[in-house]
Amino acid sequence: MKILLYNPDNGVTRNFMPHLWMFLLQSLTPKEHEVILIDGNAKAMTRPELVQFCKDENIGLVGIGSMTRMVARAYLVADSLREAGIKVVMGGPHVTECPDEALGKDGGPRHADAVALGEADETWHLIVEDAANGTLKEIYQPETDAKGNDKKPSLQPYPHIPWETLDLEQFSLVPNFLRGMMSKMGAGWGKFFVVPIETGRGCPYGCEFCTVTGFFGDSIRFRTNESVIEELLRLKKRAKEEKGQVAVFFIDDNLAINKKRLKGLLRDIIAADAQLPWVAQISANLLADEELVDLIADAGGKWVFIGMESIDPANMADVNKTFSKPANYKDVLDGLARRNIYAITSFIFGMDNDTVGVAKRTVDEIESWSPGLPVFGQLTPFPSTPLYDRLEKAGRLHRPKHWLEFAPFVMAHNPLKMTIDEAKEETFNAWARSYSPERNWEAINAIKDAPIDVRIGHLVARLFFRGIYFPQMSKSAWIKLLFDNRKPILSLTKEGLKTWRNARRNRKITSEEAVPTT
Ligand code: B12
Ligand code: SF4
């Protein structure tokens, strides 16, 4: 049987990296079946085109994965495929939280023939076999233990994902029209991929708005260090052979959740010379450990994603995240910056103690820290989270099924101390100010003592991150962006060329000196 695994586009921006679930399930598929992957974010297809593709390829089963945010699009795709008689199984966080919706058992239309609840590592092969035999069931669920909890995959052993041979072309981050020019810069800058790797699953912290503790459970599981390192080494080899740039996103929800284990992993990465530039999610409370931060730097860590959420401790208490202390944020970021590691700092507006002006207050504070890449979202009640239950009970959900009428940056519930429109305005202001050409220039100047490659990386990341809020999909949008930011671009290019010429001259002198004379 031929299987298509499909990820719907998120309707906002291009994905900067492939989704791991597709590659993982592909690796777990019994060998007699063929799996094709299409990520709608990277390869845009209309619904009729997708249906035609499935007919032409004689696809027997389509697996669709989706976060809540893009589930309405996922349903539309599933509906079109099912109308054409193609079987659809859906999985991922949203359908796990709302299986009745996907199966049409909540009074709405049916979208999927089957749903895979929870982690599908151990149920996927059953789904495939049943689909091939024409006996697909409605619900696939992991086995449960004596207490009725899902038995979680141990991640040992971990499936082999053949990153070294997979076609990643559609995920290159360099826009097409810039590839020619960038590849002349040397070191393979014409191709740049970010590859997702997980080293473990689960987070016990239980922040009120988060689905992770409910979905992956509070029991944490890790892969072996050897298996992670083997994957890194294969990627490193590929980057070298293709003269491309490969970076890794460790997608664990909290990479340092067990600091002892992480330190061991980082030491092993260093010992195996398996460093690649990487980014990971780590909560602020775990980053005060100097030894850990040193190891992160030595093991290739370049960026750390920190869910800071709010600078107001009252808000942190409201969402059960008091372990993360706003008063410590500056020290954490400064400590990282001393090692040329920068942070992607994530903030949420529309929390219960937020009032008009929260964007200004937050950005003023952010700008007093070492520069990072702030991102701003709004408090969103995802189904099955404690936050959803609290707001529902309080009758505060303005759009209880917000995912079926997705509207970017429009809150689904009424914040306590401002309006939904004001929350949108605040979010917009925070993005606009944080990625204005003036701020970009200021941020680059603030790290003027960092090596030139670090500063270039920082600026490039800023230009890409701006696109999360301000879509920059077209050539003209990119040209405008580059023009508006010409000050730091020209300054860094000039300095970069000077450094490169000096390095080349020094290399030449050294090699001439090394030539034996008679
Ligand atoms: C990496 C990541 C991202 C990446 C993008 C995704 C990518 N390219 O990988 C980035 C950083 C961009 C991102 C952004 C966002 N993310 Co995110 N992200 C994650 C993260 C940390 C890892 C995802 C992952 O690969 N997990 C590992 C794989 C193995 O797990 P999995 O995807 O769940 O897949 C398993 C099962 O679900 C199942 N499965 C999944 N799909 C399918 C499909 C089929 C057919 C089957 C059978 C099974 C199946 O099988 C897999 C193996 O067991 C998760 C948290 C987490 N730990 O999962 C959050 C998470 C998915 N993100 C979340 C959110 C909310 C967001 C944002 C909306 C945040 C924001 N406010 O901006 C944005 C939206 C992005 C966008 N524009 O669409 C939520 C989603 C909750 C929900 N109910 O939808 C999660 C769960 C985190 C959370 N705090 O709750 N994210
Ligand atoms: S620390 Fe992160 S992953 Fe863990 S519960 Fe809180 S938000 Fe979710």
Side-chain angles (χ1 to χ4, degrees):
M1 181 175 63
K2 266 194 183 176
I3 302 165
L4 170 68
L5 295 180
Y6 180 78
N7 204 87
D9 76 287
N10 61 40
V12 182
T13 181
R14 229 185 136 230
N15 242 7
F16 68 89
M17 76 170 173
H19 287 266
L20 181 60
W21 71 266
M22 310 173 87
F23 297 93
L24 199 60
L25 294 191
Q26 184 180 37
S27 303
L28 291 167
T29 306
K31 292 292 161 254
E32 61 273 28
H33 305 287
E34 184 188 337
V35 182
I36 300 171
L37 308 182
I38 297 184
D39 188 328
N41 293 296
K43 191 176 164 112
M45 279 170 114
T46 63
R47 279 180 277 143
E49 279 168 357
L50 193 66
V51 170
Q52 196 54 50
F53 174 85
C54 289
K55 286 183 176 164
D56 294 346
E57 292 285 332
N58 196 21
I59 300 285
L61 177 69
V62 178
I64 302 180
S66 166
M67 294 185 206
T68 297
R69 188 183 172 98
M70 52 279 228
V71 79
R73 282 167 185 263
Y75 289 155
L76 287 175
V77 171
D79 295 347
S80 301
L81 293 164
R82 293 181 73 240
E83 271 163 31
I86 300 161
K87 292 281 181 211
V88 172
V89 55
M90 293 186 74
H94 186 80
V95 297
T96 300
E97 286 136 20
C98 306
D100 287 350
E101 182 181 275
L103 292 171
K105 292 185 174 180
D106 67 346
R110 182 171 183 153
H111 306 287
D113 296 285
V115 291
L117 306 186
E119 295 176 58
D121 309 51
E122 282 159 16
T123 49
W124 176 240
H125 74 102
L126 300 173
I127 299 173
V128 171
E129 278 155 26
D130 286 354
N133 296 331
T135 55
L136 197 61
K137 298 183 193 67
E138 274 192 345
I139 297 180
Y140 290 84
Q141 196 167 5
E143 285 178 24
T144 47
D145 62 18
K147 287 188 190 153
N149 297 325
D150 283 1
K151 280 191 190 159
K152 305 284 182 194
S154 73
L155 308 187
Q156 295 187 17
Y158 191 80
H160 173 95
I161 302 180
W163 294 118
E164 65 281 16
T165 51
L166 290 173
D167 177 9
L168 295 176
E169 201 54 42
Q170 57 176 323
F171 297 108
S172 176
L173 280 178
V174 183
N176 275 343
F177 76 100
L178 284 178
R179 285 186 191 180
M181 186 181 91
M182 299 274 288
S183 57
K184 292 195 185 99
M185 282 173 58
W189 277 102
K191 273 186 194 171
F192 179 33
F193 304 108
V194 182
V195 168
I197 293 189
E198 60 180 342
T199 79
R201 288 186 196 164
C203 176
Y205 284 174
C207 303
E208 193 197 30
F209 52 80
C210 178
T211 63
V212 167
T213 307
F215 186 91
F216 289 101
D218 51 12
S219 70
I220 307 155
R221 295 142 285 147
F222 297 116
R223 291 168 64 180
T224 61
N225 291 358
E226 294 72 33
S227 128
V228 176
I229 288 165
E230 191 267 336
E231 204 168 348
L232 287 172
L233 286 171
R234 278 189 283 122
L235 276 169
K236 196 168 177 178
K237 188 160 169 257
R238 175 171 183 166
K240 200 170 164 198
E241 279 168 9
E242 291 186 2
K243 296 199 174 66
Q245 300 286 335
V246 174
V248 164
F249 189 146
F250 286 120
I251 53 108
D252 305 37
D253 287 294
N254 208 337
L255 188 72
I257 195 71
N258 179 332
K259 281 205 269 178
K260 191 167 167 235
R261 174 313 294 202
L262 179 59
K263 286 180 185 177
L265 173 63
L266 298 177
R267 284 193 192 100
D268 286 356
I269 290 176
I270 297 164
D273 195 22
Q275 293 101 323
L276 277 169
W278 56 262
V279 52
Q281 312 184 95
I282 302 178
S283 53
N285 56 314
L286 301 170
L287 286 165
D289 182 326
E290 297 276 324
E291 184 189 35
L292 178 65
V293 188
D294 278 341
L295 282 167
I296 291 175
D298 291 346
K302 301 286 177 222
W303 292 91
V304 178
F305 182 105
I306 308 176
M308 293 191 162
E309 327 306 2
S310 175
I311 53 165
D312 178 351
N315 276 333
M316 299 302 272
D318 280 344
V319 296
N320 195 31
K321 199 160 182 173
T322 45
F323 61 85
S324 182
K325 309 253 180 272
N328 298 341
Y329 290 169
K330 180 175 168 37
D331 285 349
V332 165
L333 295 203
D334 292 350
L336 290 171
R338 279 197 295 279
R339 281 109 172 155
N340 294 322
I341 303 170
Y342 296 92
I344 301 160
T345 51
S346 168
F347 293 90
I348 299 176
F349 291 146
M351 288 173 128
D352 280 354
N353 206 35
D354 280 347
T355 52
V356 170
V358 62
K360 180 176 180 322
R361 289 191 295 279
T362 308
V363 179
D364 282 350
E365 179 118 5
I366 292 173
E367 290 182 358
S368 73
W369 306 334
S370 294
L373 300 176
V375 293
F376 306 95
Q378 291 160 334
L379 192 61
T380 307
F382 288 109
S384 291
T385 55
L387 173 68
Y388 193 97
D389 294 347
R390 170 164 72 91
L391 295 173
E392 191 176 39
K393 281 191 193 116
R396 288 177 57 194
L397 287 176
H398 189 67
R399 291 181 297 137
K401 292 205 168 194
H402 52 91
W403 51 91
L404 296 182
E405 35 174 337
F406 176 70
F409 296 102
V410 179
M411 287 182 69
H413 71 279
N414 293 308
L416 274 188
K417 298 185 180 171
M418 55 181 166
T419 64
I420 291 176
D421 283 345
E422 283 166 347
K424 183 174 184 179
E425 181 80 13
E426 293 291 328
T427 314
F428 178 80
N429 289 344
W431 275 102
R433 186 174 144 189
S434 299
Y435 292 91
S436 65
E438 297 73 37
R439 176 60 195 155
N440 286 346
W441 176 233
E442 209 176 80
I444 296 306
N445 275 330
I447 54 168
K448 59 180 183 316
D449 296 331
I452 179 76
D453 57 323
V454 171
R455 281 177 287 146
I456 292 176
H458 198 103
L459 178 65
V460 171
R462 286 194 147 261
L463 300 183
F464 273 104
F465 261 66
R466 190 184 171 281
I468 300 176
Y469 192 84
F470 306 93
Q472 46 199 35
M473 313 280 267
S474 65
K475 188 173 173 174
S476 58
W478 270 100
I479 290 173
K480 179 171 181 334
L481 178 73
L482 297 179
F483 182 76
D484 289 348
N485 286 279
R486 60 192 179 282
K487 238 162 118 178
I489 294 174
L490 289 175
S491 155
L492 290 180
T493 310
K494 226 164 104 185
E495 193 185 327
L497 281 174
K498 205 168 135 196
T499 314
W500 177 69
R501 274 198 213 105
N502 285 346
R504 205 171 62 160
R505 194 175 313 124
N506 288 345
R507 268 202 310 272
K508 218 171 139 197
I509 294 169
T510 321
S511 62
E512 275 165 7
E513 278 170 355
V515 174
T517 45
T518 50

